Amino acid sequence: MPGNNYNCNPSTPRSRLERLLRERELRRSNRFLHPIEDGNRQAELLGNDNFLTEGENFGLSSEEDFPEGVAAAKAFADGCEWKEGRTPKQRLLVVANRLPVSAVRKGEDSWQLEMSVGGLVSALLGVKEFDARWIGWAGVNVPDSVGQKALTKALAEKRCIPVFLDEEIVHQYYNGYCNNILWPLFHYLGLPQEDRLATTRSFQSQFDAYKKANQMFADVVHKHYLDGDVVWCHDYHLMFLPKCLKEHNNKMKVGWFLHTPFPSSEIHRTLPSRSELLRSVLAADLVGFHTYDYARHFVSACTRILGLEGTPEGVEDQGKLTRVAAFPIGIDSDRFIRALELPQVQEHMKELKERFAGRKVMLGVDRLDMIKGIPQKILAFEKFLEENLNWRDKVVLLQIAVPTRTDVPEYQKLTSQVHEIVGRINGRFGTLTAVPIHHLDRSLDFHALCALYAVTDVALVTSLRDGMNLVSYEFVACQASKKGVLILSEFAGAAQSLGAGAILVNPWNVTEVAASIGYALNMPADEREKRHHHNFMHVTTHTSQEWAATFVSELNDTIVEAQLRTRQVPPLLPIQVAVDRYLQSSNRLLILGFNATLTEPKDTLGRRGGQIREMELKLHPDLKEPLKKLCDDSKTTIVVLSGSDRSVLDDNFGDYNMWLAAENGMFLRLTMGEWMTTMPENLNMDWVDSVKHVFEYFTERTPRSHFELRETSLVWNYKYADIEFGRLQARDLLQHLWTGPISNASVDVVQGGRSVEVRAVGVTKGAAIDRILGEIVHNKGMKAPIDYVLCIGHFLPKDEDVYTFFEPELPSEAPPTVPRPTPANPAMTYVPRISTTKSGSRAARLKKQRSLSTLEKRATVHGIGNAWRPTLMRDKMSLHEGSSVLDLKGDNYFSCAVGRKRSSARYLLGSSDDVVTLLKALAEDS
């Protein structure tokens, strides 16, 4: 509480929800205690309210020239309190395409600036916990250095930092890619046809300019960034920015917010650069949208296009979680409520009431844009007048249409169309003294707009597709006295917030909208009051300030969560250290996985180069020479340990001098010898046929899925199937398995990223590795202990026990008495004893011994241990003989997970390309 000294106590909230609730209460407490300071700050930076640039007074420029909201946040310190109950301000860099400033050059080194006072600035200034700066384009071309210095200096007084873009970049990036490609696509208008693309050059040149412009924004951010700053990127203009920022500093706190709708995955996938943009946005720590629908569409696009895992919290990519959430923006409702008491607004209201005395006033306030549904609105009003003769001289529609992009032919055509419809309706239903529609092609100042909102009986918002539409919020804020009715398009983002108090309509259904107009005009007073109360409570509590504070608070907490997860992520493999240790050792063992380790890189949908080229696994072509060199080194033993079938390993590695361990080590051979089995004899596989029938059933009913029948397991794979449908089918398949074929069978079910595998109990790579080592020792007649182990793979969590097998610091255990299964090779009956050195003494060997594999333990538990003892004498001599030849120091053991950040391995390699780099380095220096 206020007055306490800085204090962190044991009762500090630790869960994410508890932290956010505590943060919210502290924020509200600080606002209540220090309201005067905040008001002074707004007045200092904004001046008076009288001037508003075109459209920003009612949120009209949010999807074109300005970001919808500018926000701020405070650092969260796990509930710790500061003296006087106040927390230190956190620096916030708000990056948007346009600065909330209009700049006019008055001379060579002088500029006149006008600050916006719409939802953008008020969202920031209303939250005192942040020290914010704006970064963006000033909207003017300033080619000379003198003008740039003068503008930078002038903008600094407004806490703004300019990004200078030349005319060509603006043309290609802003007019081209942003407005000609992304904006129509995100509003479900589709991609432009080739003839339109040709007018602004090629798509690729626009996309290149888009990436270049985003990098220019990133360069300015880097120049002004200080450790601990929060960077908040805004809108579709800067989808590449999070990636640019994180590549420069991956510890930077980055949030990204979209102010337009995000389309369904089926629409987004038509974009040629779909994957690049999605991955760039996913570089951010927190991705925000206005509504849950937009967030759901984004997660779905990441799942279907990138093949990533969608979770309730966001999108996960190999342990890295990007939080995705809905943050509905609001308005500064107090500003509108206060304005109604001003004398000039009261005077406006009086004039309007006199002007439209005896008539109900309907209002539409929109940007003159094809997504706003102005023609649909006017046609619905016409139909209402046709069907309700008694209302023809008792109602008037005031339509404010702010012109935008007047140089674009489509917008010019829309303007002509609207004027034609208005003229026809006024000519049909108007008189010499009154017309039913008053249409204005211009914006209104703030006070005139507030007065117009206040005298309106019915507000009509018929957007065909809108990110949010704050006109509805502003209308509700000004209706405390009249309690008018809001007719709202279901395709506006605001419908998800104000839907319960508004009349929702489909603007394409002219008949429905006309009927809703009649219902609104005739609505009883008590129903109007109930509807208005619901909307008014939402608008006054979900303000722009609360939106800004909530977003950055969530961003700060996301960083806390990410740091906790990062502690569990292995560090990247120090390749040079691994190579140096390799050169210093005398007997090396390399254990390599195959799939996603020695194969060519594929995306998470199992596609290489964007297409499904080959169903069979193929060795990476760049690995053929390095592998041959390593295999020819007498000091190096290589084992390829894979879950694949024997034939797959034979096809890829038959020409190399190495050991192949197929089906998770159940089959083993030196490439110059024959396959032998390490499986127990008389292993119960009665469950195979019943599981096979289930797999066949689901393969037939899941397009592009397939299953593999192996000697110790069956695998159903759906990595090429539709992602979401495949997951549903996999869930159903598991239910069928557990309730039927395997309910009483001794099997393990292993779920991969896009597969379901049923194995015999305990069949894992770690369970087999000790037996594999024993066979290698016997075959090579090893005299020197193994002093270097490199284990690399993209293994399932079930198989990661192979990493921990070699950990030298594992606690020693007494030699177990249950024998292990042995290779079915009667010729191999003796294993030479290893010479006893200082580290090869009996005590040292016991320390290296491993506990029984899961396979052996479960065999004993199930009472089938006796069936697994082909040769008792052989077992007594060779039990754990593989681990006993290890003289492995911690510095000489390198376990690496490939592309799996959640792993028990010591180190991480990003992809099979990194494996290529490592093995090439070993081969060259060997």
Side-chain angles (χ1 to χ4, degrees):
M1 294 297 294
N4 289 353
N5 291 327
Y6 178 81
N7 176 40
C8 289
N9 54 64
S11 62
T12 296
R14 293 302 174 189
S15 77
R16 178 170 174 268
L17 180 59
E18 287 176 338
R19 290 197 301 268
L20 292 174
L21 289 174
R22 175 70 174 274
E23 170 77 1
R24 180 170 171 265
E25 292 305 315
L26 286 175
R27 195 164 62 237
R28 290 187 173 185
S29 171
N30 283 340
R31 287 181 192 166
F32 176 77
L33 291 169
H34 305 274
I36 298 178
E37 174 189 327
D38 302 331
N40 291 341
R41 187 180 178 203
Q42 289 201 41
E44 173 189 343
L45 288 178
L46 296 182
N48 64 50
D49 283 325
N50 291 333
F51 176 83
L52 285 113
T53 58
E54 177 181 295
E56 62 195 13
N57 51 344
F58 38 81
L60 296 181
S61 55
S62 63
E63 296 167 351
E64 185 173 351
D65 290 333
F66 296 91
E68 180 82 57
V70 175
K74 77 183 195 61
F76 184 74
D78 278 342
C80 298
E81 297 168 2
W82 296 77
K83 291 183 178 181
E84 300 180 358
R86 308 212 66 182
T87 55
K89 291 182 178 180
Q90 182 176 22
R91 273 190 23 134
L92 178 70
L93 301 181
V94 181
V95 192
N97 175 61
R98 284 288 297 272
L99 292 172
V101 162
S102 297
V104 179
R105 193 164 190 171
K106 294 298 183 181
E108 184 179 2
D109 58 354
S110 64
W111 293 83
Q112 178 182 338
L113 305 177
E114 290 287 356
M115 195 79 174
S116 160
V117 290
L120 317 176
V121 184
S122 62
L124 172 63
L125 298 182
V127 189
K128 63 187 173 305
E129 295 93 344
F130 314 119
D131 177 17
R133 281 125 172 99
W134 286 268
I135 296 177
W137 177 47
V140 291
N141 180 35
V142 190
D144 59 298
S145 58
V146 175
Q148 291 183 2
K149 290 180 180 178
L151 181 57
T152 301
K153 182 178 180 180
L155 288 171
E157 299 177 4
K158 301 287 187 182
R159 309 177 74 82
C160 293
I161 302 166
V163 177
F164 294 105
L165 305 175
D166 59 51
E167 287 187 2
E168 180 62 19
I169 287 289
V170 171
H171 174 66
Q172 294 264 58
Y173 145 73
Y174 180 66
N175 298 327
Y177 197 77
C178 292
N179 289 342
N180 196 41
I181 304 293
L182 291 182
W183 190 90
L185 187 80
F186 283 11
H187 289 85
Y188 291 80
L189 300 179
L191 291 173
Q193 300 302 314
E194 285 300 321
D195 57 335
R196 286 182 57 196
L197 275 173
T199 61
T200 50
R201 300 196 183 177
S202 70
F203 168 86
Q204 188 58 46
S205 67
Q206 293 178 29
F207 186 53
D208 291 341
Y210 181 84
K211 291 191 287 186
K212 181 178 179 180
N214 275 245
Q215 185 60 56
M216 295 170 73
F217 277 85
D219 293 340
V220 176
V221 173
H222 297 152
K223 183 178 179 181
H224 295 272
Y225 175 81
L226 301 177
D227 287 344
D229 286 358
V230 167
V231 183
W232 192 0
C233 312
H234 286 266
D235 232 352
Y236 59 92
H237 310 88
L238 302 176
M239 294 180 75
F240 232 78
L241 185 56
K243 179 182 178 182
C244 297
L245 297 175
K246 286 288 189 175
E247 285 178 345
H248 183 268
N249 182 355
N250 64 358
K251 295 184 178 179
M252 191 180 292
K253 299 179 182 179
V254 179
W256 182 80
F257 193 90
L258 181 66
H259 296 281
T260 68
F262 192 89
S264 73
S265 59
E266 289 304 303
I267 296 293
H268 184 77
R269 72 189 311 157
T270 63
L271 186 65
S273 54
R274 59 194 185 183
S275 297
E276 282 188 85
L277 290 180
L278 288 176
R279 290 200 178 275
S280 300
V281 170
L282 287 175
D285 300 291
L286 177 64
V287 176
F289 300 90
H290 282 310
T291 72
Y292 171 74
D293 278 351
Y294 306 156
R296 177 170 54 83
H297 288 160
F298 178 79
V299 172
S300 177
C302 293
T303 300
R304 291 180 171 275
I305 296 172
L306 301 180
L308 302 180
E309 184 74 24
T311 72
E313 292 185 326
V315 179
E316 187 172 349
D317 182 10
Q318 299 298 335
K320 196 270 185 185
L321 176 69
T322 299
R323 193 179 298 280
V324 179
F327 302 91
I329 195 174
I331 62 170
D332 184 1
S333 54
D334 288 342
R335 178 166 169 260
F336 285 86
I337 294 171
R338 290 193 305 266
L340 297 180
E341 305 299 324
L342 297 175
Q344 56 266 50
V345 175
Q346 291 287 331
E347 184 63 29
H348 274 303
M349 291 170 59
K350 181 181 178 182
E351 293 174 0
L352 291 171
K353 289 177 181 178
E354 293 175 353
R355 174 70 180 82
F356 300 112
R359 305 174 77 182
K360 294 281 189 178
V361 177
M362 296 177 59
L363 177 65
V365 181
D366 305 280
R367 200 171 64 243
L368 192 52
D369 200 314
M370 55 271 297
I371 66 164
K372 295 298 182 178
I374 296 177
Q376 287 80 359
K377 179 190 307 184
I378 299 173
L379 291 173
F381 183 60
E382 179 184 28
K383 186 168 185 62
F384 168 76
L385 295 178
E386 288 176 350
E387 297 176 349
N388 298 271
L389 301 178
N390 56 319
W391 276 101
R392 291 187 178 181
D393 57 350
K394 296 178 182 178
V395 64
V396 60
L397 171 62
L398 308 181
Q399 177 61 52
I400 312 299
V402 181
T404 180
R405 302 181 69 183
T406 53
D407 57 332
V408 178
E410 287 79 3
Y411 287 78
Q412 295 170 355
K413 182 179 178 181
L414 174 66
T415 303
S416 300
Q417 180 187 11
V418 170
H419 290 173
E420 179 185 341
I421 298 173
V422 170
R424 175 169 55 78
I425 295 174
N426 281 341
R428 181 180 176 187
F429 298 106
T431 66
L432 290 174
T433 57
V435 291
I437 300 178
H438 289 244
H439 181 87
L440 277 73
D441 282 332
R442 65 180 183 86
S443 61
L444 298 180
D445 65 51
F446 176 67
H447 295 139
L449 186 67
C450 288
L452 194 54
Y453 281 142
V455 301
T456 296
D457 297 283
V458 177
L460 198 52
V461 178
T462 56
S463 304
L464 305 180
R465 192 71 63 174
D466 226 342
M468 194 64 180
N469 193 293
L470 296 180
V471 168
S472 53
Y473 279 64
E474 295 168 358
F475 167 74
V476 169
C478 294
Q479 283 288 311
S481 174
K482 198 152 194 174
K483 297 178 176 57
V485 181
L486 172 64
I487 299 177
L488 180 60
S489 167
E490 63 187 59
F491 300 117
Q496 292 196 18
S497 302
L498 305 179
I503 300 175
L504 296 184
V505 295
N506 176 0
W508 295 100
N509 189 339
V510 173
T511 303
E512 178 190 359
V513 178
S516 297
I517 292 173
Y519 182 71
L521 291 173
N522 293 293
M523 185 178 292
D526 59 337
E527 184 180 350
R528 287 206 318 270
E529 188 166 347
K530 288 179 182 178
R531 286 177 176 268
H532 171 75
H533 176 74
H534 179 91
N535 287 342
F536 189 77
M537 291 300 296
H538 180 87
V539 168
T540 53
T541 54
H542 294 75
T543 62
S544 55
Q545 295 90 345
E546 188 65 25
W547 166 79
T550 300
F551 183 91
V552 186
S553 176
E554 286 261 6
L555 176 56
N556 279 317
D557 192 76
T558 298
I559 299 298
V560 173
E561 292 282 319
Q563 290 171 346
L564 295 175
R565 286 192 301 273
T566 301
R567 294 171 190 168
Q568 304 169 2
V569 175
L572 292 175
L573 173 69
I575 291 180
Q576 191 55 50
V577 174
V579 173
D580 292 342
R581 294 286 180 182
Y582 175 87
L583 297 176
Q584 295 167 14
S585 57
S586 58
N587 193 4
R588 310 134 178 169
L589 175 64
L590 273 57
I591 300 176
L592 308 175
F594 182 33
N595 189 14
T597 303
L598 302 180
T599 56
E600 287 188 85
K602 302 178 184 179
D603 63 24
T604 42
L605 290 176
R607 300 175 302 190
R608 190 185 306 114
Q611 298 293 329
I612 302 171
R613 291 184 181 173
E614 299 173 13
M615 300 287 282
E616 294 294 333
L617 299 176
K618 296 293 183 183
L619 177 66
H620 197 300
D622 293 342
L623 279 175
K624 293 181 179 180
E625 287 302 319
L627 269 183
K628 188 175 188 311
K629 287 184 180 179
L630 292 172
C631 290
D632 293 341
D633 186 348
S634 60
K635 295 182 179 180
T636 302
T637 302
I638 296 182
V639 181
V640 173
L641 180 57
S642 172
S644 298
D645 186 78
R646 287 178 284 177
S647 61
V648 175
L649 298 189
D650 283 337
D651 292 342
N652 285 279
F653 302 101
D655 297 332
Y656 297 90
N657 180 24
M658 62 169 62
W659 288 84
L660 304 179
E663 296 200 25
N664 300 303
M666 291 297 101
F667 296 94
L668 178 69
R669 86 169 176 114
L670 183 62
T671 49
M672 295 178 293
E674 298 296 325
W675 282 103
M676 66 191 81
T677 178
T678 62
M679 282 194 306
E681 295 179 3
N682 304 318
L683 183 62
N684 185 354
M685 300 290 286
D686 293 343
W687 49 269
V688 170
D689 286 339
S690 54
V691 171
K692 178 184 174 184
H693 291 318
V694 174
F695 279 12
E696 287 176 341
Y697 176 87
F698 279 91
T699 299
E700 292 171 359
R701 284 154 182 79
T702 310
R704 293 192 294 179
S705 69
H706 65 280
F707 79 94
E708 301 173 50
L709 176 60
R710 301 171 181 170
E711 294 193 46
T712 58
S713 65
L714 286 89
V715 182
W716 182 68
N717 195 307
Y718 59 94
K719 64 182 177 182
Y720 302 126
D722 178 88
I723 298 298
E724 295 182 4
F725 183 60
R727 286 176 183 161
L728 291 174
Q729 292 291 81
R731 190 181 312 159
D732 198 15
L733 178 145
L734 288 171
Q735 291 176 349
H736 278 274
L737 289 176
W738 286 120
T739 58
I742 64 172
S743 56
N744 296 313
S746 298
V747 298
D748 285 331
V749 177
V750 183
Q751 288 186 261
R754 303 283 187 272
S755 65
V756 176
E757 181 177 1
V758 180
R759 304 176 179 174
V761 164
V763 176
T764 68
K765 293 178 172 66
I769 194 65
D770 191 44
R771 299 188 292 274
I772 293 172
L773 281 178
E775 302 308 335
I776 294 174
V777 169
H778 172 82
N779 182 275
K780 295 187 73 169
M782 278 188 188
K783 296 296 187 290
I786 295 172
D787 58 355
Y788 178 94
V789 175
L790 174 64
C791 184
I792 307 175
H794 179 80
F795 300 136
L796 296 172
K798 179 80 173 176
D799 293 321
E800 287 207 339
D801 52 356
V802 70
Y803 297 139
T804 56
F805 176 86
F806 291 99
E807 288 293 346
E809 63 272 22
L810 281 182
S812 61
E813 299 182 20
T817 59
V818 179
R820 67 172 180 84
T822 59
N825 190 334
M828 300 178 66
T829 57
Y830 173 74
V831 176
R833 300 179 64 88
I834 305 303
S835 59
T836 304
T837 61
K838 182 177 180 180
S839 60
S841 65
R842 181 175 181 275
R845 289 201 305 273
L846 287 177
K847 185 177 180 181
K848 300 299 181 184
Q849 289 176 351
R850 298 301 186 263
S851 62
L852 276 178
S853 68
T854 308
L855 181 62
E856 296 156 353
K857 288 179 179 177
R858 295 199 182 184
T860 305
V861 170
H862 289 287
I864 59 174
N866 291 335
W868 290 19
R869 302 181 183 179
T871 310
L872 186 59
M873 176 65 71
R874 163 81 166 109
D875 289 341
K876 287 184 177 179
M877 292 180 60
S878 59
L879 181 61
H880 292 292
E881 65 202 6
S883 59
S884 65
V885 301
L886 295 173
D887 181 17
L888 193 59
K889 298 179 181 178
D891 291 344
N892 274 15
Y893 175 49
F894 298 88
S895 58
C896 308
V898 180
R900 287 191 185 276
K901 293 185 178 179
R902 290 183 178 177
S903 172
S904 58
R906 289 186 171 194
Y907 301 103
L908 176 69
L909 286 172
S911 69
S912 59
D913 285 337
D914 297 323
V915 178
V916 172
T917 302
L918 171 62
L919 295 184
K920 279 184 175 180
L922 293 177
E924 289 172 0
D925 295 339
S926 179

